[in-house]
Every structure is written in C-alpha cells, then in structure tokens.
Amino acid sequence: MSVVQRLGAGWLLDHLSFINQCGYETHGSLAHPPHAALDTCAPSVGRLCAASACATTCTSRDDPPPGDALEPEGKRGKTRYVFREEFFDVLKPHIVAAAPERLCQGGSEGNPMDTSGSGMEQREGAQGDTGDLDASARKKRKRKCAFNQGEVDALEYHTKIRELIWEGTLHLVQEGLKSGFLHCTTTKLHCSKNVVPGPMGCGLAELCEMAKQFPAINDSDHEAVRAIDDKTFILEQDLHSCVIENNSSCAKMIVLMGQKYLVPPKSNFLLSDISCLQPLLNCKKKYDVIVMDPPWENKSVKRSNRYGYLSSWQIKQIPVSSLAAPNCLVVTWVTNRQKHLRFVKDELYPHWSVKTLAEWHWVKITRSGEFVFPLDSSHKKPYEVLVLGRVQGRVEEALRKSEEVLPIPDHKLIVSVPCSLHSHKPPLTEVLAEFVKPGAECLELFARNLQPGWTSWGNEVLKFQHIDYFTVMQDEN
C-alpha cells in the first residue's frame, strides 16, 4: 500500500513502499542474461542491428561471460530486488525555512507573502543548519528589477492556494508523525549524497532515435503485443515496433544494449518517442485512466540539456482521443509555470474533448515532515500541480458512468517524500482507485518507470527500471 494516511485534505504516500510491493522477484535463470545479450557498446546503427539479441529475456543457452555465472539447468532460484532506500533519504530541506514557516513548529506567522528584503528573499536565504548558502549567493538573488508578468501570475496563483497547501500538509504531516511514518526531530541530520552512476552505454532516448533507421514493418503482418517469456528472444526491432508485455506473476529481466532492466509483473510498455506512437494504437485498447508528465519547455531544461522537451503544438498532437475510453480520467502533471497551466486547461483539454474538473497538488516533504523548499520561496516551490479532467462523450453514457465512480474532488493534496532521482513522480494507482471503475485500464504517457497493471510509454520508459537502482534483498533456492 502506498497510502499511509487518508484525510479530507488528501493523502500521505509512501512512494518507496509502493515500488517494493510491485513484485520485483525473478525466478530461475531470468536473473542472468545470455552471452549474446551482453554487448555493452553499440556506437552505430549497424552495430545495433548486428547485436539483434541485445533486448531479450534471459536464457541460459550460451556459455556465460566472465562474471555472470548462470543457474545450472533445471535450477529455479528466486531473487528478490528492492529499490535503493537511499534515493528517498531526504532528511533535511534543500533550503531551511524560517521557524514560523516550518511545519514542525505548528504555525505560520508574520507576512509570508512579503517580497521585500525582510520577507521572502531573507527566508529563502536562511541558512539554518545547511551551510549551503552564503552571503554572496543571497546577494546574487536580490532583484534589480520589477517582477515580469510570469512571476506576477505565479505569485497570484500561490497567494490563492497557499493556505490550502499549508493547512492540508500540516494535518497530513501531523498524522504521519503520530503513526511513526515521519520522524520530527531537532537533532542535526546529516545526509550524505548517494550518487549512483546512470546506465552505461547508449541512452534510451538516443536508442529510440536510432530505431527509426530500422526497416519499416508492415503493421498488418506484425503482432501488436509481444509477451516476454523464458524462451523468446525480443529483438530491438520488436522492442520499438510493438508493445512488450509481462503477463506473468513475477518480474522479468531484459537486457538492452548490455544493460539490465527489471520489468514488474502484469505490466506493458512501449519504448519509443512521440513520432512512433502507432504501435500503441495498433493494440486497439481503450484506457480508462491516462496520466502524462510531458517534458515541458522551460529555460532550465534548455540550459541543462538534461532531456528533450516538446512544444505545446507537439503535445497537442498526442492522439489521446484515440486512446481514451468513454469518460476516461485524464491527469496531467504541470510545472509551476502559469503559462503551462493555462495551456492545459484552456487549449489542450478542450482540444481532446476533456473537461477540466480539478487541480490537485503534490507537496514534497522531508522524512522529518518539513517542506523541501520554503513554502513561500521565490526560487522553487515545494509543490507541483496536477490537472484532472474527464473525456466528454454522449450525455446518457456519461450519466451512466458517473453512477459507478465517485466525482473528482477539487483541491486535494498528495504529500510524500520525493525520490532524489529527477522526475520520479509518486504513484497515483491507489489515489485514483476510488474515482475509476474496478479493473480500469491505465496508461501512462512520457513514463520513466513501469507499474503493475499499467501500460507505459516513453522514450525513457525503462529509465528507473535499470538494475543499478535496485539491490538484491534475498536469494532463495
């Protein structure tokens, strides 16, 4: 269960627990890839095509490479993997708030919306115990000009929702402290940075680009879904041209460009970019829930070159109308730019015949129950926005469907300790369960990880399934 506490204000989630309850247990030789699948370098498309068994379920028909001992034939061991706990060791705020703005202090006093030198900027620059901000950094952040229109819009929005965020989070944190899930302490906490190298070899997004150079496949002659099993090899060409399915009750390990990825049970995925969505449409499946986290265009992304981004026009081209079942619940993650929020509500959802119903907020806290950033920080906010809506269909059908599920409430909070890995969003499975029919078909667009019971698509859909993010919990023979 990911829900630790459920109150009128929203939910307190345990993201780590959800991941580890997904069933990451492999059986037998699935934990060990064949020799043919361990080519760790593919600098060209020609080399990629030659290594046609790079993406495959793991078998033992070849001799093992050094360092990869295989299970003896007939031996069916079990290996259980758990997500590395240190990725959720957010022990202290990134910037320590002034005492009146700390949740554990129990109140918010003064004028937190003051943007003068004695208000927001001083609070954001408060060093507390972190020692991370010095006088020169604070001086650099001082404004030399008036707020631009985007900043004015953001401040107005924050003013409207601030009390909701504060009060709701305070109540959920208090319940988390009572239950022992959170631990409020005045002891100075030391959080070491646990950096794990990312997957070696070719990146997933780059691999999607290379896959476009494969020969075209006739959709009528190609299966829409390919199941992973113990004996079937899955070629790169198949990986990008059809949905891959793990329909078993245990996790499976696949190898892609020499890198190992864990696929949870009862999950489907398509590894491709936005130009190659046809394999998803070929399944002819309609989804009752569609969640998406688009790579929004912003200055930070452009500067860091961390990942590609899409324009508003490109996002509108996603064929949601072809993927959505009647009365489908559509949930979109939005950054704290009012431009993007207005685009989703005023342009994107109407374009898809989706009616906006609610705005929720994901609030990020530390394990001691503090906001990861001061609530009134002018630099970064400790929350993100989710916009929820439903696909509009025939009136009689909508009325019939509405009797089966609860109406979507507005202004709910999802409070959790965030993963330190960039863009690893909290799970929405249990949170959305009461607002969709039992056995609902769920789809995540722009996904970076997999979930049981969901179909996931994206050009980095396996990113957080890489085995380096997991550790072996036990090995049972």
Side-chain angles (χ1 to χ4, degrees):
M1 295 288 288
S2 63
V3 176
V4 178
Q5 297 290 338
R6 180 185 280 103
L7 300 177
W11 304 266
L12 178 64
L13 298 189
D14 184 348
H15 190 168
L16 178 63
S17 176
F18 176 84
I19 297 175
N20 290 334
Q21 291 176 14
C22 286
Y24 286 106
E25 182 179 86
T26 59
H27 291 220
S29 58
L30 290 174
H32 306 283
H35 180 66
L38 287 174
D39 183 4
T40 59
C41 180
S44 67
V45 175
R47 178 73 174 276
L48 179 65
C49 295
S52 60
C54 279
T56 174
T57 54
C58 303
T59 67
S60 56
R61 65 186 189 183
D62 292 320
D63 293 333
D68 274 285
L70 298 180
E71 296 281 352
E73 187 173 354
K75 190 174 182 179
R76 303 291 293 178
K78 297 180 182 179
T79 303
R80 182 184 169 210
Y81 296 86
V82 295
F83 205 74
R84 296 178 62 162
E85 185 176 358
E86 59 261 36
F87 291 123
F88 289 91
D89 278 345
V90 184
L91 303 179
K92 60 183 180 180
H94 302 307
I95 299 175
V96 177
E101 294 180 42
R102 299 184 65 180
L103 289 167
C104 283
Q105 301 299 319
S108 179
E109 302 170 357
N111 180 13
M113 297 311 299
D114 178 15
T115 58
S116 67
S118 60
M120 191 190 319
E121 293 295 345
Q122 278 193 354
R123 284 169 183 166
E124 183 182 355
Q127 293 187 29
D129 295 328
T130 63
D132 296 331
L133 301 176
D134 56 22
S136 62
R138 291 197 301 275
K139 182 177 180 181
K140 184 179 180 180
R141 284 199 301 273
K142 287 185 178 179
R143 298 305 301 249
K144 295 183 179 180
C145 60
F147 289 120
N148 60 39
Q149 188 58 50
E151 292 168 325
V152 170
D153 292 344
L155 185 59
E156 289 179 355
Y157 180 80
H158 178 70
T159 303
K160 289 191 299 183
I161 66 169
R162 184 191 187 280
E163 184 176 357
L164 167 76
I165 299 289
W166 175 271
E167 295 294 337
T169 304
L170 179 62
H171 292 154
L172 285 163
V173 165
Q174 287 174 340
E175 292 301 314
L177 293 170
K178 291 178 184 177
S179 68
F181 173 68
L182 301 175
H183 302 276
C184 191
T185 177
T186 57
T187 304
K188 186 174 181 179
L189 296 172
H190 297 275
C191 181
S192 59
K193 293 185 178 181
N194 298 284
V195 179
V196 174
M200 302 296 290
C202 182
L204 295 171
E206 289 79 4
L207 183 59
C208 290
E209 282 296 315
M210 289 195 292
K212 296 177 184 178
Q213 301 184 45
F214 286 133
I217 293 178
N218 188 337
D219 290 338
S220 61
D221 299 331
H222 192 74
E223 57 188 334
V225 179
R226 173 68 66 88
I228 304 174
D229 60 47
D230 295 357
K231 299 179 181 179
T232 303
F233 283 92
I234 299 176
L235 310 182
E236 271 92 353
Q237 191 169 6
D238 294 325
L239 190 71
H240 299 286
S241 60
C242 66
V243 173
I244 305 300
E245 176 185 54
N246 178 11
N247 55 17
S248 74
S249 58
C250 65
K252 298 294 179 76
M253 187 180 292
I254 63 173
V255 179
L256 180 61
M257 306 303 292
Q259 302 298 315
K260 302 177 185 179
Y261 300 88
L262 286 164
V263 180
K266 308 299 181 182
S267 64
N268 303 336
F269 72 90
L270 171 64
L271 175 64
S272 76
D273 63 22
I274 197 170
S275 68
C276 302
L277 272 172
Q278 190 59 43
L280 194 60
L281 299 172
N282 291 344
C283 294
K284 302 187 184 303
K285 184 181 289 189
K286 298 290 186 177
Y287 297 93
D288 304 293
V289 178
I290 297 178
V291 175
M292 65 175 183
D293 182 18
W296 296 105
E297 179 181 3
N298 60 58
K299 293 179 180 179
S300 174
V301 170
K302 289 181 178 179
R303 285 195 302 265
S304 66
N305 198 27
R306 183 182 293 158
Y307 57 81
Y309 56 85
L310 297 180
S311 67
S312 298
W313 179 86
Q314 289 173 305
I315 295 173
K316 288 176 72 172
Q317 306 313 305
I318 300 169
V320 165
S321 300
S322 300
L323 296 167
N327 211 40
C328 172
L329 176 60
V330 180
V331 182
T332 303
W333 291 95
V334 185
T335 63
N336 282 315
R337 286 192 67 186
Q338 293 305 294
K339 174 184 176 182
H340 295 151
L341 184 58
R342 286 194 298 267
F343 166 71
V344 171
K345 293 163 57 175
D346 299 340
E347 293 186 49
L348 186 62
Y349 276 13
H351 179 72
W352 289 336
S353 298
V354 173
K355 180 181 179 181
T356 300
L357 299 176
E359 286 180 34
W360 292 0
H361 294 86
W362 171 35
V363 184
K364 308 170 199 178
I365 61 171
T366 68
R367 287 174 56 189
S368 61
E370 297 291 348
F371 293 117
V372 294
F373 287 99
L375 181 57
D376 299 312
S377 168
S378 61
H379 175 54
K380 284 188 177 181
K381 294 292 187 288
Y383 57 80
E384 294 185 32
V385 185
L386 298 86
V387 181
L388 294 85
R390 284 200 186 276
V391 170
Q392 301 300 289
R394 295 181 302 176
V395 175
E396 62 272 20
E397 186 171 38
L399 289 174
R400 177 177 58 80
K401 292 284 186 180
S402 65
E403 296 175 356
E404 301 175 7
V405 298
L406 295 175
I408 301 294
D410 202 2
H411 302 307
K412 290 291 185 180
L413 303 182
I414 298 171
V415 179
S416 72
V417 178
C419 183
S420 59
L421 300 171
H422 179 70
S423 265
H424 202 317
K425 293 295 194 294
L428 301 179
T429 301
E430 290 182 50
V431 169
L432 298 178
E434 57 189 300
F435 308 112
V436 297
K437 65 182 182 180
E441 293 284 352
C442 301
L443 170 67
E444 183 175 7
L445 303 175
F446 303 102
R448 296 175 182 85
N449 61 285
L450 309 180
Q451 300 181 62
W454 287 65
T455 297
S456 303
W457 163 81
N459 66 349
E460 292 187 311
V461 72
L462 296 175
K463 181 174 182 177
F464 299 132
Q465 302 303 133
H466 193 279
I467 197 170
D468 280 356
Y469 296 125
F470 294 79
T471 186
V472 176
M473 183 67 178
Q474 60 188 34
D475 195 353
E476 302 175 355
N477 293 325

